[in-house]
Amino acid sequence: MSKLLPHVGLRTVKTAAAVATALLLADLRGSPAPIFAAIGAIVAMNRTLGDAVQSCLTQLAGIFFGAGFGWLFVTLLPGYRYVGIAVGIVALILLCVRLQLQFAVPLACIVFVSICLSPADGAFLYGVNRLFDTSIGLGTALIINIAVKPYNNRRQIAQLFMHYLQTLPDYIGARVARGGYPDLSSLQAQLGRIGDELAIYEKQNLFRHADHDRQAVYLRGCEQLAGTMLQELTALCAMDESGRIGWENAARLQTLGVEATPLPEGATPCQADIVADYHLSNLLDAYGYLRDFNLME
């Protein structure tokens, strides 16, 4: 029965709670347009607190400059609607760039045009109400995001590494034991996802644990080991011949559940044997290092 029900994540619940709370607060103050409180709450409910703060700054800067410029141009150029909007857009973009607020340009322009298309006598009040209601939504979402289990993908990253380790022996066996050429695109995708999650983890710069920086460096080191394994496996798959491995590496593979026939005792290894054994040894060294790390700490 549970499989038939959709999964409702915590971020979904927090977004719904933030929107409902923001709308309640906007109604309590008698807002003429509570939709902007809801929009602010939705925009600010980002995956990480750092992204949430960035969204809040974008909204506030965009509305402040857009509304301010809109009121100014409606007041100074009431009879030049189209010319005023064109000149105002140019001036607004130049100001945002000058203040290094490029991230706020799209929203500032949208608010500016909205003000210019509103009745002149209500432009100032419209801008104030929009800024106030949006601030209610932004503040509500930010508080809920901070108070209710802030996002932390540390465990998810560890699980991705564990899955990577569990997957790798099948690829090694396909190449070394069976002489095939497995498609490594899935491993590359897994490694790419690990890198993406690590980038998000490094951006969690608000309300983070004291050892966050140490953990970030530690996990990047684990990523390098995972990359080394993929690099060595790629080198093995690039060889024209599979090559025969030594007894030591055959024994190490056996601990991973991979049965590979080693070079016969007393036989002289050829160039392909030496190269294959070299890459496999590097791969297994990296595998062992990563496996022995306490990724779930």
Side-chain angles (χ1 to χ4, degrees), residues 58-102:
T58 300
Q59 289 285 312
L60 293 176
I63 295 173
F64 179 79
F65 285 105
F69 257 71
W71 174 79
L72 181 64
F73 275 82
V74 166
T75 303
L76 296 179
L77 301 171
Y80 300 91
R81 182 179 186 182
Y82 303 110
V83 175
I85 290 177
V87 173
I89 288 290
V90 172
L92 183 57
I93 292 175
L94 291 176
L95 177 63
C96 289
V97 172
R98 180 70 175 177
L99 297 177
Q100 297 184 347
L101 297 173
Q102 292 91 332

Side-chain angles (χ1 to χ4, degrees), residues 12 19 28 37 47 63 96 112-113 115 121 140 150 155 159 165 180 192 201 208 222 248 250 253 257 262-263 294:
T12 301
V19 170
L28 288 176
R47 192 175 188 182
I63 295 173
C96 289
F112 170 77
V113 175
I115 295 289
D121 56 351
T140 301
R155 179 168 291 275
Q159 291 172 345
L165 287 173
Y201 182 78
R208 62 190 187 185
C222 293
E248 181 180 351
L253 284 178
L263 185 72
N294 186 12

Side-chain angles (χ1 to χ4, degrees), residues 225-237:
L225 288 173
T228 297
M229 286 183 266
L230 179 59
Q231 179 181 343
E232 297 297 343
L233 185 56
T234 301
L236 286 169
C237 290

Side-chain angles (χ1 to χ4, degrees), residues 10-46:
L10 180 60
R11 185 179 170 191
T12 301
V13 174
K14 291 198 294 185
T15 301
V19 170
T21 305
L23 287 174
L24 173 62
L25 294 175
D27 285 341
L28 288 176
R29 87 167 193 93
S31 169
I35 182 61
F36 293 119
I39 292 173
I42 294 170
V43 170
M45 190 56 69
N46 279 280

Side-chain angles (χ1 to χ4, degrees), residues 132-203:
F132 198 84
D133 287 328
T134 303
S135 298
I136 289 175
L138 297 175
T140 301
L142 197 59
I143 291 173
I144 290 178
N145 217 353
I146 293 172
V148 184
K149 196 177 180 181
Y151 181 79
N152 186 344
N153 63 340
R154 171 66 177 82
R155 179 168 291 275
Q156 182 179 356
I157 293 172
Q159 291 172 345
L160 287 173
F161 276 122
M162 297 301 294
H163 179 69
Y164 188 85
L165 287 173
Q166 293 167 0
T167 304
L168 203 65
D170 289 338
Y171 288 90
I172 299 174
R175 178 61 185 135
V176 177
R178 296 185 291 278
Y181 291 89
D183 182 3
L184 304 182
S185 58
S186 178
L187 279 180
Q188 292 171 340
Q190 288 185 49
L191 191 58
R193 187 181 175 192
I194 289 172
D196 292 341
E197 291 295 331
L198 278 173
I200 294 172
Y201 182 78
E202 291 169 338
K203 287 171 59 180

